[in-house]
Amino acid sequence: MSKIAFIGLGNMGLPMAVNLKKAGHDVHAFDRVPAAMEAAAREGMTASASAIEAVSDAEFVVTMLPNGPIVLAVMAEIVPAAASGAVIIDCSTIDVESARSASEMAEKSGLRLLDAPVSGGTGGAQAGTLTFMVGGEKQAFDKASPILDIMGGKLVHCGASGAGQAAKICNNMLLGISMIGACESFALAEKLGLSAQAAFDVISTSSGFCWSVNNYCPVPGIGPDSPADHDFKPGFAAELMLKDLGLSQQAASGTGQATPMGEHAMQLYQSFLEEGGSGKDFSGIIEYLKTAARPAD
Ligand code: NAD
């Protein structure tokens, strides 16, 4: 049994921390929202009065926070208070630069920090089947692996610090683009009088097959159960897709890489959110695309 500090008990963090607790670890939890602290206490975790209190003597510190500035602010608080030899595992999705800065901050205090963003959503967090994409020292990765294994189904060590965030951003940029492509295809099929079932049966077994069509079809009643079958209740919210596409464009601009499809996908998700997409799953963009005005031919 290890003492683990868990900071950030939101939609993802709470079920991840619950799995650590269920596996028999001594989990000391902190969130700035009282309701989250109450939920953690109900699950048998120790509710700490502050992030600093939570990390004292902890062997592992897991953070699951909204964005880069918050992660850096929390690291500035906890790094000086963490026990020597502690491994910090930041599971938040943030920009690569902030991930590298957080790691440098930890290193200067003799600690090791892994960037370990996840995919799999709240369902994966509850089931303990998340995929972890991890950047940072291999030795720290090996030490953290038994802890990550409890929360995840697959761990990939992607390379040095920041590599986990790089993998996450590249994957989600492609996911945003491919979901828009899938939605455009089903919307056009409908206008052409092709049934969604026929379109699915062909595309899902032809060269257009992809996760967005085969596993997460944006049309109700077609393919495996997906948010389209539940009025686009997330799943993976459009707001989070916009956040990740924004991170991809920040990375593209920082490296000078052209990503015209990623940029366009970000603009389309921005428009979708402005026109009723807020609170919907990211696959709900099909509704926006079906009604969007076509530029004059
Ligand atoms: P969330 O907003 O539900 O949870 C974030 C938690 O952090 C909140 O409870 C908030 O009170 C807490 N927090 C904020 N500032 C804090 C501080 N200074 N100290 C302590 N606690 C603080 O968000 P979420 O959906 O759990 O997502 C967390 C991270 O995981 C994000 O980076 C998100 O992009 C990423 N992510 C989310 C999903 C998903 O499906 N929700 C999937 C993959 C990755």
Side-chain angles (χ1 to χ4, degrees):
M1 181 183 79
S2 299
K3 177 175 173 185
I4 303 174
F6 205 111
I7 301 168
L9 305 157
N11 295 326
M12 295 291 289
L14 182 66
M16 291 164 72
V18 166
N19 284 332
L20 294 175
K21 175 70 195 160
K22 280 186 183 154
H25 292 291
D26 177 20
V27 180
H28 291 243
F30 177 71
D31 193 291
R32 62 181 179 183
V33 172
M37 296 296 288
E38 285 156 21
R42 274 198 301 278
E43 296 288 348
M45 294 174 225
T46 304
S48 302
S50 66
I52 292 174
E53 187 181 300
V55 304
S56 125
D57 297 329
E59 200 180 334
F60 298 97
V61 176
V62 184
T63 50
M64 192 47 159
L65 296 160
N67 58 44
I70 292 177
V71 168
L72 288 176
V74 168
M75 292 305 162
E77 249 187 277
I78 63 173
V79 162
S84 81
V87 177
I88 304 175
I89 307 166
D90 179 37
C91 301
S92 327
T93 301
I94 63 172
D95 59 286
V96 175
E97 285 310 308
S98 295
R100 288 183 180 148
S101 302
S103 169
E104 279 164 23
M105 205 190 292
E107 240 173 64
K108 279 188 192 139
S109 294
L111 303 171
R112 284 163 301 166
L113 185 146
L114 299 168
D115 50 292
V118 301
S119 90
T122 51
Q126 278 154 18
T129 56
L130 294 167
T131 294
F132 282 91
M133 310 151 220
V134 188
E137 246 180 48
K138 176 77 167 68
Q139 219 187 357
F141 172 75
D142 290 340
K143 185 169 180 199
S145 290
I147 300 300
L148 297 176
D149 260 333
I150 295 166
M151 301 182 283
K154 184 160 175 66
L155 317 180
V156 182
H157 184 232
C158 298
S161 175
Q165 297 295 351
K168 169 81 182 171
I169 287 168
C170 292
N171 179 72
N172 279 22
M173 180 175 77
L174 180 54
L175 174 63
I177 294 167
S178 81
M179 180 52 79
I180 291 169
C183 292
E184 285 186 2
S185 284
F186 280 103
L188 181 60
E190 186 180 307
K191 293 263 160 66
L192 292 170
L194 180 65
S195 77
Q197 188 64 58
F200 177 83
D201 289 347
V202 172
I203 297 171
S204 67
T205 54
S206 300
S207 46
F209 84 97
C210 61
W211 187 87
S212 297
V213 170
N214 291 39
N215 297 46
Y216 210 88
C217 186
V219 181
I222 305 293
D225 189 69
S226 72
D229 297 305
H230 306 281
D231 203 20
F232 296 109
K233 184 171 176 287
F236 184 55
E239 283 88 346
L240 287 175
M241 176 48 84
L242 180 61
K243 172 193 165 183
D244 291 357
L245 286 167
L247 292 175
S248 79
Q249 292 316 292
Q250 189 180 335
S253 149
T255 55
Q257 177 58 51
T259 53
M261 298 291 279
E263 189 179 349
H264 197 193
M266 182 180 75
Q267 288 159 359
L268 287 169
Y269 272 101
Q270 180 72 56
S271 303
F272 172 46
L273 280 162
E274 283 163 6
E275 297 191 23
S278 179
K280 293 200 170 161
D281 186 76
F282 82 115
S283 58
I285 197 167
I286 191 167
E287 293 184 330
Y288 166 76
L289 291 168
K290 276 184 179 177
T291 54
R294 187 183 156 74
D297 290 316

PDB file of all heavy atoms in Angstrom, residues 41 65 68 94 138 210 236 297:
ATOM      1  N   ALA A  41     -14.542  11.929   0.618  1.00  0.00           N
ATOM      2  CA  ALA A  41     -14.635  11.399   1.992  1.00  0.00           C
ATOM      3  C   ALA A  41     -15.633  10.244   2.039  1.00  0.00           C
ATOM      4  O   ALA A  41     -15.383   9.221   2.691  1.00  0.00           O
ATOM      5  CB  ALA A  41     -15.042  12.515   2.948  1.00  0.00           C
ATOM      6  N   LEU A  65      -6.336  18.157 -13.431  1.00  0.00           N
ATOM      7  CA  LEU A  65      -6.794  19.546 -13.346  1.00  0.00           C
ATOM      8  C   LEU A  65      -7.188  20.096 -14.720  1.00  0.00           C
ATOM      9  O   LEU A  65      -6.831  19.525 -15.750  1.00  0.00           O
ATOM     10  CB  LEU A  65      -5.666  20.382 -12.723  1.00  0.00           C
ATOM     11  CG  LEU A  65      -5.321  19.982 -11.272  1.00  0.00           C
ATOM     12  CD1 LEU A  65      -3.935  20.464 -10.866  1.00  0.00           C
ATOM     13  CD2 LEU A  65      -6.391  20.507 -10.313  1.00  0.00           C
ATOM     14  N   GLY A  68      -3.308  24.226 -18.209  1.00  0.00           N
ATOM     15  CA  GLY A  68      -1.886  24.440 -17.931  1.00  0.00           C
ATOM     16  C   GLY A  68      -1.619  25.448 -16.817  1.00  0.00           C
ATOM     17  O   GLY A  68      -0.836  25.154 -15.888  1.00  0.00           O
ATOM     18  N   ILE A  94      -2.862  19.228 -20.992  1.00  0.00           N
ATOM     19  CA  ILE A  94      -2.371  20.618 -21.042  1.00  0.00           C
ATOM     20  C   ILE A  94      -1.389  20.774 -22.198  1.00  0.00           C
ATOM     21  O   ILE A  94      -1.042  19.796 -22.864  1.00  0.00           O
ATOM     22  CB  ILE A  94      -1.703  21.032 -19.706  1.00  0.00           C
ATOM     23  CG1 ILE A  94      -0.459  20.182 -19.421  1.00  0.00           C
ATOM     24  CG2 ILE A  94      -2.705  20.924 -18.540  1.00  0.00           C
ATOM     25  CD1 ILE A  94       0.356  20.672 -18.219  1.00  0.00           C
ATOM     26  N   LYS A 138      12.168   7.182 -17.942  1.00  0.00           N
ATOM     27  CA  LYS A 138      11.704   5.784 -17.974  1.00  0.00           C
ATOM     28  C   LYS A 138      11.659   5.176 -16.567  1.00  0.00           C
ATOM     29  O   LYS A 138      10.738   4.434 -16.227  1.00  0.00           O
ATOM     30  CB  LYS A 138      12.640   4.977 -18.895  1.00  0.00           C
ATOM     31  CG  LYS A 138      12.349   3.492 -18.962  1.00  0.00           C
ATOM     32  CD  LYS A 138      11.155   3.176 -19.845  1.00  0.00           C
ATOM     33  CE  LYS A 138      11.011   1.712 -20.183  1.00  0.00           C
ATOM     34  NZ  LYS A 138      10.673   0.829 -19.094  1.00  0.00           N
ATOM     35  N   CYS A 210     -13.082   4.219 -39.856  1.00  0.00           N
ATOM     36  CA  CYS A 210     -12.304   4.905 -38.823  1.00  0.00           C
ATOM     37  C   CYS A 210     -13.097   4.806 -37.523  1.00  0.00           C
ATOM     38  O   CYS A 210     -14.270   4.436 -37.532  1.00  0.00           O
ATOM     39  CB  CYS A 210     -12.047   6.374 -39.196  1.00  0.00           C
ATOM     40  SG  CYS A 210     -13.530   7.363 -39.392  1.00  0.00           S
ATOM     41  N   PHE A 236     -17.841  12.646 -24.732  1.00  0.00           N
ATOM     42  CA  PHE A 236     -16.717  13.594 -24.784  1.00  0.00           C
ATOM     43  C   PHE A 236     -17.308  14.910 -25.283  1.00  0.00           C
ATOM     44  O   PHE A 236     -17.709  15.036 -26.440  1.00  0.00           O
ATOM     45  CB  PHE A 236     -15.625  13.044 -25.715  1.00  0.00           C
ATOM     46  CG  PHE A 236     -14.383  13.896 -25.752  1.00  0.00           C
ATOM     47  CD1 PHE A 236     -13.705  14.233 -24.578  1.00  0.00           C
ATOM     48  CD2 PHE A 236     -13.880  14.365 -26.944  1.00  0.00           C
ATOM     49  CE1 PHE A 236     -12.561  15.019 -24.608  1.00  0.00           C
ATOM     50  CE2 PHE A 236     -12.733  15.144 -26.993  1.00  0.00           C
ATOM     51  CZ  PHE A 236     -12.072  15.462 -25.824  1.00  0.00           C
ATOM     52  N   ASP A 297     -21.623  28.494 -54.620  1.00  0.00           N
ATOM     53  CA  ASP A 297     -20.773  27.752 -55.583  1.00  0.00           C
ATOM     54  C   ASP A 297     -20.291  28.697 -56.669  1.00  0.00           C
ATOM     55  O   ASP A 297     -20.948  29.662 -57.018  1.00  0.00           O
ATOM     56  CB  ASP A 297     -21.566  26.587 -56.183  1.00  0.00           C
ATOM     57  CG  ASP A 297     -21.810  25.489 -55.145  1.00  0.00           C
ATOM     58  OD1 ASP A 297     -20.842  25.161 -54.407  1.00  0.00           O
ATOM     59  OD2 ASP A 297     -22.939  25.001 -55.062  1.00  0.00           O
TER      60      ASP A 297
END
